[in-house]
Amino acid sequence: MTTPVEKVLYTAKATATGGRDGKVASSDGKLDVVVAPPAELGGTGNGTNPEQLFAAGYAACFQSAMTTVARRLRVDVTGSVVTAEVGLGAIAGGAYGLQVALVVSLPGLEQDVAQDLVEKAHQVCPYSNATRGNIVVDLKLA
């Protein structure tokens, strides 16, 4: 089931040339990076790759969603850290797919409070909503 956006607040635009072995740039020029397959996939590793870019975006977005939820719940998340681990691998039918582990550090919070906060942030985060039902996203407390 797809959920349409009711009102677009911002649109990011990026253009790739050369695929996994080329360049990616945003329309405003703030992102302009060389992409290259990682050595683990037989590439040179002399650039970033789509999985790293996805991990960076997801980690930042989830951190913001978590901060928003924490504010609503009056929970202090000072010093929190989110690390996204994006795995690329084969899926059924000879295609490729992704999986994600979000590793969240919430120093000073009790385990049950931290777990509740992470699960609520997972319902709010746009990346989580985009991936839900499509790929495995594992939530882990560090």
Side-chain angles (χ1 to χ4, degrees), residues 14-73:
T15 302
T17 55
R20 286 185 167 272
D21 205 1
K23 177 182 164 180
V24 178
S26 62
S27 60
D28 63 5
K30 293 180 181 178
L31 177 71
D32 190 348
V33 296
V34 171
V35 290
E40 296 86 348
L41 296 178
T44 64
N46 292 332
T48 190
N49 60 66
E51 291 71 36
Q52 288 174 328
L53 294 169
F54 185 73
Y58 203 160
C61 190
F62 195 86
Q63 176 85 37
S64 290
M66 195 172 63
T67 301
T68 298
V69 171
R71 193 175 316 115
R72 290 179 193 157
L73 298 174

Side-chain angles (χ1 to χ4, degrees), residues 83-119:
T83 300
E85 301 171 354
V86 175
L88 169 70
I91 59 174
Y96 292 92
L98 301 174
Q99 66 181 26
V100 175
L102 294 174
V103 183
V104 181
S105 173
L106 288 160
L109 290 185
E110 293 184 22
Q111 177 87 13
D112 60 333
V113 173
Q115 187 66 45
D116 182 58
L117 177 61
V118 167
E119 288 173 8

Side-chain angles (χ1 to χ4, degrees), residues 54 58 122 125-135 137:
F54 185 73
Y58 203 160
H122 191 47
C125 176
Y127 275 68
S128 293
N129 288 328
T131 59
R132 187 170 291 109
N134 297 308
I135 66 171
V137 177

